[in-house]
């Protein structure tokens, strides 16, 4: 697991209040991890802060799993 | 009671906004008040200082999204994250609908309604992180009962009420409350131009028999911002001397 993936995973665990082993690469934040729409907004906010970047809304909509979030950060950092 | 809290009040150079800023400050809040001009902002800083309050005035045009974000960043750096937002700034451009120009309509919607959307959106991020906040929007009795010559103003003020109820539902789970205060006729610069005849006729329709004072609204804001408002959200508090009962 890459360093970035570790950091993203830690944020997902904190924001969604789930166990680390639940956060698999392709687990859906909403369908598998029980996030509601506001949780996903907060999650993106937390990612922006952790990686000091701005994630446009249209990109944010496509981030619904750990793998997608990690890929986005890796591609845009 | 509000010690350590940071309150952001728009349109605070005079009238209701000034009374709100001073009342929140009297309860210990750090208050940042906005005005559209630099001299207005300096005036706010001066009266806060005179009252022995923490905070300052800032120049802000509430219709300018970019400035809102830069002023908010400035405040956060200087004082901390505002967790009390009072959307008070408002103007009137009265006219009969048949004569109303597009600019008169657009100015009111931008300044009185769109500003509430922009300010709330900008401040919510900080409130979510702080795990709590209070948004208090100042509407008007006119938005609830209507008033000839004020279709634009009434539409914007009624819009604020619907906005507040919807946002209250969105962010309730994050311990953020959103309420509206609908003042009746208050003795300010906005109402001082009313003809005497109209003022008398108006007063006759108010059970408490007088125009309200800016402080009457300020007390209601402080109540909602403080512990008393903890379990109140999505509500419209009518502070109007009884002139309209809902």
């Amino acid at each position: 697991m890459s360093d970035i993936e570790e950091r993203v995973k830690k944020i997902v665990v904190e924001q969604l209040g789930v166990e680390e082993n639940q956060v698999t690469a392709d687990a859906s934040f909403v369908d598998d991890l029980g996030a509601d729409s506001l949780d996903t907004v907060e999650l993106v906010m937390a990612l922006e802060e952790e990686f000091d970047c701005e994630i446009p809304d249209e990109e944010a909509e496509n981030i619904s799993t750990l793998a997608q979030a990690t890929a986005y950060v890796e591609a845009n950092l | 009671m509000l010690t350590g809290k940071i309150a952001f009040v728009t349109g605070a150079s005079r009238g209701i906004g000034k009374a709100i800023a001073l009342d929140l400050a009297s309860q210990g809040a750090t208050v940042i008040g906005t005005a559209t001009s630099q001299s207005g902002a300096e005036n706010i800083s001066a009266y806060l200082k005179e009252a022995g309050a923490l905070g300052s005035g800032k120049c802000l045009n509430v219709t300018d999204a970019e400035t809102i974000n830069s002023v908010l960043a400035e405040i956060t750096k200087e004082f901390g994250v505002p967790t009390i937002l009072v959307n008070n700034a408002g103007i009137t451009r009265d006219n009969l609908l048949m004569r109303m120009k597009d600019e008169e309509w657009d100015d009111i919607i931008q300044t009185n309604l769109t500003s509430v959307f922009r300010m709330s959106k900008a401040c919510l991020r900080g409130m979510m992180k702080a795990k709590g906040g209070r948004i208090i929007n100042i509407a008007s009795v006119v938005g609830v009962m209507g008033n000839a010559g004020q279709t634009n103003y009434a539409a914007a003020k009624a819009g604020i009420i619907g906005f507040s109820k919807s946002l209250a539902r969105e962010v309730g789970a994050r311990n953020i409350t959103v309420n509206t205060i609908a003042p009746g006729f208050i003795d300010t610069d906005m109402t001082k131009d009313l003809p005497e005849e109209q003022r008398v006729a108006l007063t006759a329709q108010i059970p408490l028999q007088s125009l309200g004072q800016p402080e009457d609204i300020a007390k209601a804001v402080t109540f909602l911002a403080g512990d008393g408002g903890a379990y109140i959200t999505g509500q419209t508090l009518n502070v109007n001397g009884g002139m309209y009962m809902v």
Side-chain angles (χ1 to χ4, degrees), chain B residues 11-160:
Chain B
S13 63
R14 57 202 168 113
I16 293 175
K18 180 179 177 181
I20 291 169
L22 283 170
D23 203 69
L24 289 170
S26 77
Q27 299 301 310
T30 299
V31 178
I32 290 86
T34 77
T36 48
S37 68
Q38 197 54 48
S39 63
E42 282 162 17
N43 169 37
I44 295 168
S45 295
Y47 75 61
L48 285 172
K49 196 174 169 197
E50 198 186 304
L54 294 171
S56 86
K58 296 276 177 198
C59 186
L60 174 67
N61 175 351
V62 292
T63 64
D64 179 356
E66 269 178 40
T67 323
I68 290 175
N69 286 324
S70 62
V71 168
L72 187 60
E74 222 175 278
I75 293 170
T76 305
K77 204 170 154 208
E78 216 174 315
F79 300 98
V81 177
T83 53
I84 299 168
L85 169 65
V86 184
N87 285 306
N88 166 74
I91 54 169
T92 54
R93 294 274 185 276
D94 298 353
N95 212 342
L96 293 173
L97 183 77
M98 303 278 290
R99 296 208 183 105
M100 189 171 289
K101 295 182 179 58
D102 280 16
E103 304 93 86
E104 289 172 330
W105 175 267
D106 290 339
D107 279 358
I108 290 292
I109 299 299
Q110 279 294 323
T111 305
N112 294 6
L113 181 58
T114 309
S115 65
V116 176
F117 153 71
R118 292 223 171 92
M119 291 291 302
S120 302
K121 187 174 168 187
C123 290
L124 266 175
R125 176 181 280 250
M127 291 183 188
M128 302 243 286
K129 272 192 64 188
K131 307 218 180 296
R134 302 282 163 86
I135 298 177
I136 300 155
N137 297 318
I138 307 300
S140 167
V141 66
V142 167
V144 187
M145 67 181 278
N147 195 21
Q150 293 199 301
T151 48
N152 51 0
Y153 188 77
K157 294 301 190 180
I160 288 176

Side-chain angles (χ1 to χ4, degrees), chain A residues 36 38-39 41-42 45 48-49 57, chain B residues 121 125 128-129 131 170-171 173-174:
Chain A
D36 65 17
L38 203 53
D39 288 325
V41 173
E42 275 190 301
M45 273 168 43
E48 289 178 334
E49 239 153 73
D57 290 343
Chain B
K121 187 174 168 187
R125 176 181 280 250
M128 302 243 286
K129 272 192 64 188
K131 307 218 180 296
E170 274 185 31
V171 298
R174 296 300 185 278

